[in-house]
Amino acid sequence: MGEKRTPSGFLLKQRAFLKLYLITLTEQERLYGLKLLDVLRQEFKPLGYRPNHSEVYKALHDLIEDGILKQVKQKKEGMKYQEVVYYRFAEGGQEKAKLYKRQLKAELDRCAALIRKAIEDNYS
């Protein structure tokens, strides 16, 4: 992961958006994949955005490959054999996560300015 993120050209890509939220949710508490999906869907339901299962898991896998997150398997409470996979920061992952969030903030600011301009130019 480089020091500077290359803008995508138009608006932020869905995967980058999901990775940002998955990092923030991991900072807040230990969650497993389906719980992360549920939280994201609930959070964005009022805005008409419903991330799908495969995109959330692809974003989680990207974060693992980037060395930001790791999977931790734990036995499900009250179950002898069933395990749940939780996502936590890998060693050095929190620093990488901070860098990614800083880079994405600049990209989000650019996207917000683009949308504000479109609204001002076309609806003022």
Side-chain angles (χ1 to χ4, degrees), residues 5-9 11-12 103-111:
R5 188 173 189 283
T6 305
S8 60
L11 295 177
L12 190 67
Q103 292 170 344
L104 222 55
K105 173 70 168 84
E107 182 74 357
L108 284 168
D109 289 342
R110 186 191 67 77
C111 292

Side-chain angles (χ1 to χ4, degrees), residues 33-80:
L34 286 176
K35 182 64 175 172
L36 289 164
L37 179 63
D38 290 343
V39 169
L40 289 169
R41 285 180 174 171
Q42 198 63 28
E43 192 73 24
F44 293 105
K45 185 177 185 176
L47 300 171
Y49 174 56
R50 189 175 192 272
N52 67 43
H53 182 272
S54 64
E55 278 303 315
V56 170
Y57 277 94
K58 285 176 186 175
L60 283 168
H61 294 155
D62 281 356
L63 290 169
I64 291 168
E65 288 176 19
D66 292 342
I68 294 173
L69 296 183
K70 66 179 179 178
Q71 293 179 329
V72 177
K73 294 180 182 179
Q74 291 182 340
K75 294 254 189 260
K76 192 170 183 181
E77 200 170 299
M79 304 299 267
K80 189 172 182 178

Side-chain angles (χ1 to χ4, degrees), residues 14 23 26 32 40 45 60 74 78 85 88-89 92-94:
Q14 177 180 229
I23 288 169
T26 301
Y32 52 94
L40 289 169
K45 185 177 185 176
L60 283 168
Q74 291 182 340
V85 176
R88 299 198 177 120
F89 287 108
Q94 285 180 306

